[in-house]
Amino acid sequence: MTTTTTTAALAATDTASAVRLESISKSYGDSFAVRDLTLDIAPGEFFSLLGPSGCGKTTSLRMIGGFTDPTDGTILLGGEDVTALPPNKRNVNTVFQSYALFDHLSVADNVAFGLKRAGVGRTEIRERVAGMLERVQLGSLADRKPHTLSGGQRQRVALARALVNRPQVLLLDEPLAALDLKLRRQMQVELKQIQREIGITFVFVTHDQDEALTMSDRVAVMNEGRVEQCGTPEDVYERPASRFVASFMGTSNLVPGTYRAGEVVVEGGPALPVGPRAGVSDGSRVSLSVRPEKIWLSDLEPGMTRVNGVVRETVYSGPTTTYLIELAPGITLSVLEQNTDRSRMEDRWSGGESVEIGWRPEHCLVLD
Ligand SMILES: Nc1ncnc2c1ncn2[C@@H]1O[C@H](COP(=O)(O)OP(=O)(O)O)[C@@H](O)[C@H]1O
Ligand SMILES: [Mg+2]
């Protein structure tokens, strides 16, 4: 596991972390849903748990919320050990994927629900509910019933209902998964704006890497119950710590080969200079990884790593074109080009042509 320590370390020394998980595990029988998870989430941070279905995201979130007891480990909220406390004794709220709104209550009454139960006075409830509905742009829909709203609007009611209680931490389990792509993109931006304005710590679960990259201050990439890497979106995308992270975060061009004396010898193909790599010994089997948008097809610069290939496929998709370049039998790299003014249609490569491609050495990762 690789952890980017800067933010977490600062959080630990300046103030108590909003959420701190110390080696928590959850097992069912002899299989682990979550294994030895340690995380520090700073106050006001937008933190995402990202990973494929079944990797332990929901279980982790449920343990923070108090809905599932860890088999092992300690959970602290704002520096206080809450491991043994039930959900209603923890200053957190949860927004689930199914919004679970009360259909017989109006939007305003749905949002007021938690405050009423907490015994907050009527005037204060009215003010806080109205303020929160404005904030999520539902002011004009306060008297409507949830079933008359669109998916995106219901999502915002659920969010308002959780935020109005002013929790220290808001837990969100794939809250946008039910929305269609366009609305999801729009809600991603809105949700991030609301979080920034209100300044509440968000722990956000998603299996969608674009969503995590777009919204988060930091991301923990999970695989089979463990965190494989934790860092800023740029860290996990540009400097993936493992093959799993590289391939989960978008197209990564993993080329198998053998490391020898500063080169990766591709099976049945060229030897690519990668320079000395700390922790990689001669003869070890590695994967070389270069992101598709980091590979150049023309106007190569001095100092770039160059390699010859053959164009096998050209896929036009509006703003970009993807080329599949074959380096050796069965070994291809995806190359993504922006369709700017410079790259005119008629200049584009077609299938079967020999090309020289290149990348800056720092954009080439060697993963074992
Ligand atoms: N109540 C349970 N009983 C048995 N196994 C469970 C239970 N809850 C979750 N699991 C298992 O734990 C693993 C992680 O589940 P979950 O946290 O829901 O994953 P995710 O939210 O990342 O899709 C899965 O293999 C799942 O089948
Ligand atoms: Mg889940």
Side-chain angles (χ1 to χ4, degrees), residues 145-188:
K145 294 281 168 60
H147 70 270
T148 69
L149 304 179
S150 72
Q153 290 166 337
R154 280 207 293 274
Q155 207 331 293
R156 288 200 288 254
V157 178
L159 189 66
R161 189 178 57 173
L163 285 172
V164 80
N165 301 316
R166 296 178 185 157
Q168 251 170 42
V169 178
L170 188 64
L171 309 175
L172 304 103
D173 194 351
E174 313 231 13
L176 309 180
L179 307 179
D180 66 49
L181 187 61
K182 202 163 170 196
L183 186 56
R184 200 158 82 218
R185 291 263 154 81
Q186 186 189 328
M187 283 298 299
Q188 286 168 0

Side-chain angles (χ1 to χ4, degrees), residues 273-284:
V274 295
R277 298 281 166 153
V280 186
S281 54
D282 268 13
S284 44

Side-chain angles (χ1 to χ4, degrees), residues 148-283:
T148 69
L149 304 179
S150 72
Q153 290 166 337
R154 280 207 293 274
Q155 207 331 293
R156 288 200 288 254
V157 178
L159 189 66
R161 189 178 57 173
L163 285 172
V164 80
N165 301 316
R166 296 178 185 157
Q168 251 170 42
V169 178
L170 188 64
L171 309 175
L172 304 103
D173 194 351
E174 313 231 13
L176 309 180
L179 307 179
D180 66 49
L181 187 61
K182 202 163 170 196
L183 186 56
R184 200 158 82 218
R185 291 263 154 81
Q186 186 189 328
M187 283 298 299
Q188 286 168 0
V189 175
E190 283 181 23
L191 194 56
K192 176 75 197 170
Q193 269 168 358
I194 292 168
Q195 188 266 345
R196 212 177 281 144
E197 275 172 35
I198 296 183
I200 290 176
T201 309
F202 274 29
V203 185
F204 186 89
V205 160
T206 180
H207 66 272
D208 179 335
Q209 59 275 18
D210 290 337
E211 187 161 286
L213 291 177
T214 307
M215 301 179 76
S216 317
D217 295 314
R218 279 191 307 149
V219 181
V221 185
M222 293 185 72
N223 181 28
E224 296 182 348
R226 295 177 189 274
V227 172
E228 291 233 353
Q229 187 173 6
C230 178
T232 63
E234 206 184 310
D235 284 333
V236 295
Y237 184 79
E238 304 281 349
R239 293 172 289 279
S242 68
R243 224 181 297 209
F244 172 81
V245 176
S247 60
F248 191 72
M249 307 304 296
T251 314
S252 59
N253 283 329
L254 292 171
V255 177
T258 307
Y259 181 83
R260 192 162 287 131
E263 291 185 331
V264 171
V265 183
V266 178
E267 279 163 28
L272 300 170
V274 295
R277 298 281 166 153
V280 186
S281 54
D282 268 13

Side-chain angles (χ1 to χ4, degrees), residues 28 31-34 51-60 173-174 205:
Y28 293 104
S31 73
F32 280 87
V34 172
S53 175
C55 72
K57 305 180 297 293
T58 295
T59 305
S60 304
D173 194 351
E174 313 231 13
V205 160

Side-chain angles (χ1 to χ4, degrees), residues 60-68 85-88 90 92 94 171:
S60 304
L61 208 65
R62 289 179 60 88
M63 289 193 282
I64 300 172
F67 304 104
T68 297
L85 295 183
N88 60 1
R90 303 185 185 196
V92 300
T94 308
L171 309 175

